Amino acid sequence: GLFFSMTTELNGTRAPDNVQLSLTPFALTLDATTGAVSAVANTTAAKFVTNNRGNERRNANAPTAMTVNGGSVILVKYNYQPNGTNDTVRYVMGFNAAGQTVLPQTKAYAKNNDDCSMHQDGEPGVVASFDPATKTTKIVEWAGCNGNGADDGWAFVTSLTCDSATAPTSCKFANVFDISLAS
């Protein structure tokens, strides 16, 4: 598996601009004597996967991850506030099981200086459908975007289309539609 986190240091190397998104591979191991299952991190293979320059607390804030594309891609979502802006934007990146990037950092959504995206802790949205013939995953999620005197709750429907259902090397992210559910 792959573990993603906001990280200030990896293996003695400081994160650029104080904090970045990191990827750490891990494996599940079984203790034959006790039957206990443990996650064992491969810290030597851990790496920073963003190099954002912005508000240090918002270079890779509140990351969540979910499997998409029938389980062959891990989609990571996080907030980033570039320098010179007062607007936090939701971004996504995709990785295959080997930890290789199949979707580079891509702007997912923003709402007119509205600091997207607040979300329920640990809830990255849900896969609404996956079509192996078109290699397209549809995702539905809720997000709060506040600013400009309004706090809106939004439903976002997005899609991820990859070049393979089982061994993707590239994917494309697209917004299908969104709608304000609460303001």
Side-chain angles (χ1 to χ4, degrees):
L2 303 175
F3 175 75
F4 296 90
S5 180
M6 293 172 52
T7 306
T8 58
E9 182 179 315
L10 283 176
N11 299 320
T13 301
R14 296 267 316 145
D17 209 19
N18 297 317
V19 67
Q20 297 295 330
L21 182 67
S22 68
L23 174 157
T24 303
F26 70 90
L28 297 178
T29 61
L30 174 66
D31 183 318
T33 306
T34 65
V37 176
S38 301
V40 178
N42 180 354
T43 57
T44 59
K47 60 185 179 180
F48 293 112
V49 293
T50 59
N51 189 14
N52 293 328
R53 301 280 177 188
N55 176 329
E56 67 184 52
R57 295 170 291 124
R58 300 270 185 207
N59 283 330
N61 194 47
T64 60
M66 63 189 302
T67 57
V68 295
N69 201 50
S72 66
V73 172
I74 300 171
L75 186 67
V76 183
K77 302 173 184 186
Y78 54 92
N79 300 332
Y80 169 41
Q81 186 180 88
N83 273 335
T85 71
N86 190 26
D87 192 17
T88 304
V89 176
R90 189 69 155 166
Y91 283 84
V92 295
M93 291 181 80
F95 298 87
N96 64 18
Q100 298 165 326
T101 303
V102 296
L103 174 70
Q105 179 170 281
T106 302
K107 183 191 266 188
Y109 43 80
K111 290 293 178 191
N112 191 24
N113 196 31
D114 276 350
D115 286 335
C116 283
S117 154
M118 300 174 292
H119 60 281
Q120 182 177 346
D121 289 344
E123 182 57 52
V126 296
V127 171
S129 67
F130 172 64
D131 182 347
T134 63
K135 300 165 284 294
T136 300
T137 303
K138 288 209 175 134
I139 303 160
V140 178
E141 66 187 298
W142 173 90
C145 302
N146 66 341
N148 296 334
D151 292 338
D152 287 357
W154 294 87
F156 289 96
V157 177
T158 58
S159 67
L160 187 79
T161 303
C162 299
D163 62 350
S164 168
T166 56
T169 58
S170 69
C171 300
K172 293 182 180 171
F173 179 87
N175 286 297
V176 177
F177 71 89
D178 59 61
I179 186 168
S180 175
L181 299 176
S183 56

